[in-house]
Amino acid sequence: MHKQIKTQMIQGISLGLLNEYKESINSYDEVIDNNGQVKPYWQKFFDTLESIGLKELKFRNQEIIKKLKENGVTYNVYDTNNDSNRQWKLDPIPFLIHKTEWVDIEKGLKQRAKLLDLILKDIYGPQELIKNNIIPAELVFDNNGMLLPCYDIKQKGATQLLNLACDLARGPDGKMWLIDTRTQSPSGSGYALENRIVMSKVLPELNKKINRKRLSPYFNNLQNAVDAIGSVNNENPNVVFLTPGPGNESYFEHVYLSSHLGYTLVQGTDLVVRDGYVWLKSIDQLERIDVIIKRVDDIWCDPLELKRDSLIGIPGLLEVIRLGNVAVLNNPGTAALENYGLLAFMHNACKFLLNEPLLINSVATWWCGQKKELDFVLNNIPKLIVKKTNRKLGFRSIYGRLLNEEQIEALKKTILLSPKDYVAQEEVSLSTTPSFIDGKLVPRYAALRAFLIFEGNEYKVMPGGLTRSAYIKGKFEISNHLGGLSKDTWIITDSPVEYNKNNGEQKISNNQLRNTLTSRNAENLFWVGRMCERSMALRSFLKIILSRLNENVYRSKENEQPEFLIVLLRTVTHLTQTYPGFVGDPNDEKGLISPDDSIFENPINELLRLICDPRLMGSVSYNVQALLNTINQVSEKWNHDTRRIINLVEESLFALKNPATTNVNTVNHALDKLHIRLFSFYGNIYETLPRDNGFYLLESGKNVERILSLIAAFQYTFKYKNDDDVEALLMEAILENHNLLAQYRNIYKSHLNLKAVINMVFLETNLPYTLSFLLDTLANFLSKLPKSMDPNQLSIAEKSVLEANTIVKLIDAESLVQFDKDTLIRTKLDETLSKVYELTANVSTNLTSLYFNHSVIQHSLLDTLDNINSDEI
């Protein structure tokens, strides 16, 4: 009885919420059926939502925002003065479609995909559509997506269009209408999967009470399709996921999908064409590629035959496709199908090619290249949306109803200058759907992006998709770069759906077996190690200086800095190479000339620049920003916890760059938090990265940078002889900087002595911050990397480290502390450390030659060329 009353109360509250929602509806809404009644599955959803409560829903919404941030889910925005890395927005209210309706939508989508495939084959083949006046010739030959070099580009199977996405919205007739098509590099499926995962974690109550189809079958179909097109040349094909890089708007998705599917993420520079094949440049060999999942727009794919100034394509790719030596999903040339003008001729094309009516209508479209249609458009602009026929970055749709008379006349003149370049679409009242905005449920326009993949002998549709809704009431601005929201899309079933357990299993690919490390990723991991260590080392040195500045006991006069502190200030300028700084002319042998000696009276301003100015090369902020940029280049390497720490490092960088950060105590606190977060980042990746070539290079980078920092700090601090009391303070600072002060006191149990300090800092082999330990460690990691032609020989990088290590091991502390009585220069110390510094710096150059740009030929490349049949070369 009590349970029944509780249920009635929930339903009553839900009904009240729906009544309030219905009052704000001014268009066809997804919640309401044609009879004005709430659809049963939406009623069940609202009942479940009501049991959660709006107050709790607000909290869950904040959890969604937090999880998306932790997962690093972003959508990059071009041409913005703000931070381009925009966080992904997910509405906690999903988009619901019942399976009975979805069946019809699936049929229509499959028909549209089949039709587009036939159109693609026709316009790059017999062109019967043009000959029979089904499609105007101008829409083919003036189409910027129609690429002449792609006429002889063919998939080996009958189907040429393997992957596509269609944008759908519900029209005034209550049926789904097609409003757009993406064929050359359809994006969004990865975001759809991430939306589902986040929703499942944050709103588990909805999962338990509402039955919906899973998304995993689509991704299994995608893997099967990739295997099918790749198995023509290789039973276990080697697959790569081609991205334009971190600057691309959907880069997160590229990282996410490549990791989820088990394919190597690559950029154009990672691939090279040789002898009629595409090869992946990994650090130990060239690997032949069988399949490329392309997320680069067609025109950018091959600078030899398409866009000559493309830096993200693969020179010679089209020729390899012609030879049938690589399969591409989708092949270049499919951009021709994205022309808006084609929508006006889809009905006739469907009757001509399939001999059947179009199952999903397109939004009414008029191409201005025809006299009758042009006249209609010119006379009805206030009712239409005007677009360019060809997609062009920067041209936004023009809503006629928003124009005044003068603007309408100007638009007419623009259209008349080149009518064939414009289309107009009817602005209809599309459906709205509930969205959670500013703590309220409100109706907003929405569109669903559905995804299709050709697998087996038919197109398969993702049982869901990516829904995007407008943030602003009454505007159909759903795209992410205009601030739209995303939604999880649920295909509702009346009962739980059983799935084959194998649906969740993924086939192990060649990529996973080889654990391929591209040369680009290898270089970035090396620099992640270097930049992380550089940021931490500089932070430590600056903290020592700041703490000494607060210790007035060392001042001899009120406005005069103690000599040891002046030495440390000059050293930090040498360390960061931010001249003139505290040095003045870096070519001044003694470093005694500063552009303004008053800089030492109040060094805080210069120190704050070294910490907070992101434009100052060598500053803490500059280094951390460079670190984050490098981390982003290898996003696929980081796990969930690592990404959370990266977010915290970004927060620390923001705090340091804040113009309001001028208080030394505030800066000190920010530096401490930064250190903890950088140390957490390094500790996490040290514990989680596999012990492979990527790890060895990251550790090599860290050790190279630590050695260089140690040498620079020591060299510029003790290059000149100072008074004994000054040098005692300098030795204490240097030992503290390298985490050796406690060990020194424990081992030597005496006053600070430069010879003893040299013996410890240079020669101790059991302390992780000493020069000998670091060189031994660096040599160990370099030895694990792929060798040159003879695996028993040392690489050029190993030889540099061995020479440096030998010099250090032969150091005589007595000779190093000697100084010239006239110049006070410790010549032997300066020369020895300069030589070790040069040899260590050469390691970076050596690794670049060996693994990053392959200027030193690796044995695997020679083996590869030897194994190719000479007739094929």
Side-chain angles (χ1 to χ4, degrees):
M1 182 69 178
H2 176 73
K3 184 176 180 181
Q4 183 179 359
I5 294 174
K6 184 178 179 181
T7 302
Q8 290 173 348
M9 289 176 62
I10 291 175
Q11 289 178 344
I13 296 173
S14 178
L15 180 61
L17 179 62
L18 284 174
N19 283 335
E20 182 180 351
Y21 177 76
K22 287 165 65 175
E23 289 177 1
S24 61
I25 295 174
N26 55 13
S27 173
Y28 186 90
D29 192 87
E30 291 295 322
V31 173
I32 310 301
D33 63 20
N34 293 330
N35 298 318
Q37 301 298 314
V38 176
K39 297 174 182 177
Y41 55 92
W42 272 108
Q43 179 68 60
K44 184 176 181 180
F45 171 82
F46 270 97
D47 288 344
T48 306
L49 195 64
E50 195 63 48
S51 67
I52 298 173
L54 281 180
K55 183 177 180 180
E56 178 66 15
L57 187 59
K58 292 179 183 179
F59 174 76
R60 303 288 181 92
N61 190 45
Q62 291 301 313
E63 282 293 302
I64 288 175
I65 295 172
K66 180 181 177 182
K67 282 195 174 294
L68 290 173
K69 183 177 181 181
E70 290 176 350
N71 294 350
V73 189
T74 58
Y75 184 85
N76 300 335
V77 183
Y78 298 133
D79 300 327
T80 177
N81 294 324
N82 300 319
D83 189 354
S84 63
N85 210 17
R86 179 179 293 176
Q87 186 172 340
W88 185 252
K89 298 178 182 178
L90 173 59
D91 191 339
I93 309 300
F95 186 79
L96 310 186
I97 301 177
H98 197 268
K99 68 172 184 177
T100 53
E101 181 185 7
W102 185 250
V103 170
D104 293 331
I105 294 173
E106 272 191 319
K107 289 179 181 178
L109 288 170
K110 291 179 180 180
Q111 182 203 51
R112 183 63 66 112
K114 186 177 179 181
L115 174 61
L116 289 171
D117 178 62
L118 293 174
I119 293 174
L120 179 67
K121 288 186 285 190
D122 181 73
I123 62 178
Y124 281 106
Q127 298 183 342
E128 294 295 331
L129 291 169
I130 296 174
K131 294 174 184 177
N132 289 275
N133 295 319
I134 305 299
I135 294 178
E138 294 92 333
L139 281 180
V140 176
F141 299 118
D142 284 343
N143 185 341
N144 62 5
M146 184 71 179
L147 306 175
L148 294 179
C150 296
Y151 264 97
D152 51 356
I153 299 297
K154 298 286 189 296
Q155 297 280 358
K156 289 192 174 181
T159 302
Q160 298 301 302
L161 182 62
L162 301 177
N163 185 212
L164 72 154
C166 297
D167 290 339
L168 306 170
R170 196 180 300 280
D173 60 357
K175 297 181 179 179
M176 284 293 183
W177 290 10
L178 189 139
I179 58 176
D180 204 356
T181 304
R182 301 286 176 156
T183 53
Q184 54 180 330
S185 52
S187 62
S189 60
Y191 288 109
L193 180 59
E194 174 67 7
N195 284 352
R196 176 62 57 87
I197 292 172
V198 171
M199 286 286 289
S200 298
K201 292 179 179 178
V202 176
L203 291 163
E205 299 92 339
L206 299 177
N207 306 329
K208 296 176 181 178
K209 297 182 179 180
I210 299 176
N211 302 311
R212 63 179 187 269
K213 289 181 175 288
R214 297 172 58 188
L215 303 181
S216 56
Y218 171 82
F219 295 99
N220 294 328
N221 293 333
L222 175 57
Q223 286 185 310
N224 293 336
V226 169
D227 289 340
I229 62 175
S231 60
V232 176
N233 296 318
N234 189 340
E235 183 178 349
N236 190 5
N238 197 7
V239 184
V240 294
F241 199 106
L242 178 63
T243 173
N248 184 262
E249 55 191 4
S250 302
Y251 182 66
F252 162 80
E253 181 184 51
H254 303 167
V255 174
Y256 185 82
L257 277 181
S258 61
S259 176
H260 179 77
L261 297 171
Y263 302 139
T264 302
L265 184 68
V266 300
Q267 296 180 29
T269 53
D270 296 324
L271 303 175
V272 61
V273 170
R274 291 184 182 175
D275 306 302
Y277 294 92
V278 177
W279 304 86
L280 173 64
K281 294 184 289 186
S282 66
I283 73 165
D284 50 357
Q285 64 179 352
L286 291 180
E287 297 180 9
R288 179 176 153 185
I289 300 304
D290 302 296
V291 181
I292 298 173
I293 301 176
K294 177 179 67 67
R295 285 303 174 87
V296 174
D297 285 350
D298 292 352
I299 192 66
W300 301 93
C301 283
D302 187 346
L304 287 184
E305 298 193 49
L306 299 172
K307 192 172 178 60
R308 292 185 179 181
D309 59 350
S310 171
L311 299 178
I312 58 177
I314 308 161
L317 174 63
L318 293 190
E319 183 59 26
V320 181
I321 300 175
R322 290 188 190 99
L323 294 172
N325 293 335
V326 71
V328 179
L329 185 75
N330 287 317
N331 268 340
T334 58
L337 298 174
E338 294 185 351
N339 188 293
Y340 283 121
L342 292 177
L343 292 175
F345 304 95
M346 281 296 165
H347 278 284
N348 292 338
C350 188
K351 292 177 181 178
F352 182 80
L353 295 173
L354 294 176
N355 195 27
E356 59 189 35
L358 206 58
L359 297 179
I360 294 183
N361 290 323
S362 304
V363 173
T365 304
W366 294 268
W367 176 57
C368 296
Q370 296 170 307
K371 181 66 169 61
K372 181 181 177 182
E373 283 73 11
L374 174 62
D375 292 340
F376 176 84
V377 171
L378 295 177
N379 293 325
N380 293 276
I381 284 181
K383 302 177 182 178
L384 304 174
I385 304 170
V386 177
K387 302 178 180 180
K388 277 289 186 76
T389 304
N390 292 307
R391 297 184 190 275
K392 288 188 178 180
L393 189 65
F395 186 88
R396 292 179 61 176
S397 301
I398 300 174
Y399 287 77
R401 62 179 168 82
L402 301 178
L403 305 180
N404 57 36
E405 289 297 328
E406 183 179 346
Q407 291 170 326
I408 290 175
E409 290 303 316
L411 179 57
K412 288 180 180 181
K413 291 178 181 179
T414 302
I415 294 173
L416 287 171
L417 289 175
S418 183
K420 63 182 178 57
D421 290 336
Y422 293 89
V423 298
Q425 293 181 330
E426 180 183 10
E427 183 176 10
V428 296
S429 178
L430 299 173
S431 71
T432 55
T433 190
S435 295
F436 191 67
I437 297 176
D438 298 331
K440 296 180 180 179
L441 286 176
V442 292
R444 291 293 186 266
Y445 291 125
L448 162 67
R449 175 165 291 184
F451 303 94
L452 297 92
I453 183 73
F454 187 84
E455 191 260 322
N457 57 2
E458 66 171 343
Y459 284 98
K460 305 290 178 64
V461 183
M462 176 189 285
L466 176 65
T467 297
R468 295 166 297 162
S469 64
Y471 184 82
I472 301 174
K473 180 180 179 180
K475 288 191 175 182
F476 192 74
E477 292 184 344
I478 60 170
S479 61
N480 301 96
H481 72 274
L482 295 176
L485 305 173
S486 71
K487 287 174 170 285
D488 191 10
T489 306
W490 294 1
I491 308 304
I492 303 298
T493 60
D494 296 327
S495 58
V497 180
E498 294 185 3
Y499 292 93
N500 190 319
K501 292 183 179 180
N502 291 329
N503 280 347
E505 298 178 1
Q506 295 183 359
K507 179 179 178 180
I508 297 178
S509 66
N510 263 350
N511 311 68
Q512 293 164 310
L513 292 171
R514 282 194 285 262
N515 198 16
T516 299
L517 179 66
T518 67
S519 296
R520 178 182 53 82
N521 277 357
E523 183 173 17
N524 282 310
L525 286 170
F526 175 76
W527 278 100
V528 166
R530 286 202 65 172
M531 295 312 301
C532 186
E533 179 61 32
R534 183 177 299 181
S535 301
M536 294 176 71
L538 178 56
R539 172 263 169 203
S540 297
F541 202 84
L542 286 166
K543 280 286 292 184
I544 288 173
I545 293 176
L546 290 172
S547 67
R548 299 304 191 269
L549 277 172
N550 290 329
E551 298 172 1
N552 294 321
V553 293
Y554 297 115
R555 292 177 181 265
S556 57
K557 295 181 181 180
E558 184 176 350
N559 292 322
E560 184 178 298
Q561 299 297 344
E563 183 62 30
F564 89 95
L565 192 52
I566 291 176
V567 174
L568 291 179
L569 289 171
R570 289 195 177 112
T571 298
V572 78
T573 296
H574 285 299
L575 188 64
T576 58
Q577 298 186 16
T578 51
Y579 304 109
F582 298 104
V583 172
D585 184 1
N587 296 317
D588 170 36
E589 275 299 313
K590 284 199 171 186
L592 300 177
I593 303 175
S594 172
D596 183 1
D597 286 337
S598 64
I599 193 173
F600 292 108
E601 296 178 7
N602 184 19
I604 290 298
N605 289 337
E606 178 65 16
L607 290 173
L608 288 177
R609 285 184 69 234
L610 287 173
I611 296 169
C612 303
D613 189 350
R615 299 164 298 178
L616 180 63
M617 185 179 296
S619 70
V620 174
S621 293
Y622 182 93
N623 291 339
V624 174
Q625 184 62 69
L627 169 64
L628 290 170
N629 291 341
T630 310
I631 285 172
N632 195 33
Q633 291 280 348
V634 284
S635 297
E636 68 271 25
K637 297 293 182 181
W638 316 128
N639 63 22
H640 176 74
D641 289 334
T642 307
R643 286 195 293 268
R644 292 178 62 187
I645 298 171
I646 293 169
N647 289 333
L648 294 175
V649 175
E650 288 177 341
E651 289 180 3
S652 286
L653 175 62
F654 179 79
L656 288 177
K657 293 192 301 183
N658 190 338
T661 308
T662 56
N663 182 278
V664 175
N665 291 330
T666 303
V667 171
N668 256 319
H669 182 66
L671 286 176
D672 288 339
K673 291 183 72 173
L674 173 65
H675 177 75
I676 293 171
R677 290 166 176 181
L678 287 175
F679 203 83
S680 299
F681 169 74
Y682 172 70
N684 184 269
I685 59 178
Y686 185 88
E687 293 296 331
T688 58
L689 281 182
R691 269 36 179 181
D692 57 11
N693 291 329
F695 175 81
Y696 304 144
L697 282 166
L698 185 143
E699 284 293 307
S700 296
K702 182 201 78 174
N703 281 279
V704 164
E705 192 63 39
R706 188 170 290 182
I707 291 168
L708 296 179
S709 299
L710 186 154
I711 293 174
F714 201 98
Q715 181 178 8
Y716 289 110
T717 303
F718 297 107
K719 180 177 180 178
Y720 297 98
K721 173 67 173 71
N722 287 282
D723 294 341
D724 290 346
D725 57 340
V726 172
E727 292 211 326
L729 294 172
L730 292 175
M731 285 184 277
E732 181 180 354
I734 289 299
L735 289 171
E736 181 182 339
N737 184 58
H738 296 294
N739 303 295
L740 295 171
L741 184 58
Q743 287 83 354
Y744 180 91
R745 289 169 174 164
N746 183 54
I747 294 173
Y748 292 96
K749 297 180 176 64
S750 64
H751 295 296
L752 293 168
N753 176 276
L754 187 55
K755 285 189 288 186
V757 169
I758 289 175
N759 284 328
M760 166 172 272
V761 174
F762 292 172
L763 300 178
E764 285 288 343
T765 57
N766 295 321
L767 299 175
Y769 276 86
T770 64
L771 200 51
S772 288
F773 182 94
L774 292 171
L775 286 166
D776 289 340
T777 304
L778 178 58
N780 177 53
F781 285 120
L782 293 177
S783 70
K784 298 177 183 295
L785 295 171
K787 300 294 184 182
S788 58
M789 294 181 64
D790 186 349
N792 295 317
Q793 290 184 1
L794 295 178
S795 68
I796 54 175
E798 289 178 285
K799 290 178 181 178
S800 292
V801 175
L802 177 60
E803 186 177 351
N805 212 350
T806 302
I807 293 172
V808 172
K809 292 291 196 297
L810 295 176
I811 277 177
D812 174 25
E814 182 66 38
S815 65
L816 293 190
V817 300
Q818 301 303 316
F819 59 92
D820 186 283
K821 293 183 179 180
D822 295 325
T823 64
L824 300 180
I825 296 178
R826 293 188 171 101
T827 305
K828 184 69 173 176
L829 175 70
D830 187 45
E831 291 177 349
T832 300
L833 292 184
S834 293
K835 183 61 177 177
V836 176
Y837 188 98
E838 179 186 2
L839 289 168
T840 306
N842 284 343
V843 172
S844 184
T845 305
N846 299 152
L847 291 175
T848 299
S849 300
L850 282 167
Y851 305 118
F852 307 154
N853 63 18
H854 296 277
S855 61
V856 175
I857 298 179
Q858 296 281 41
H859 73 283
S860 54
L861 169 56
L862 297 177
D863 291 344
T864 301
L865 294 178
D866 288 342
N867 290 334
I868 295 176
N869 189 302
S870 59
D871 293 337
E872 298 176 353
I873 297 177

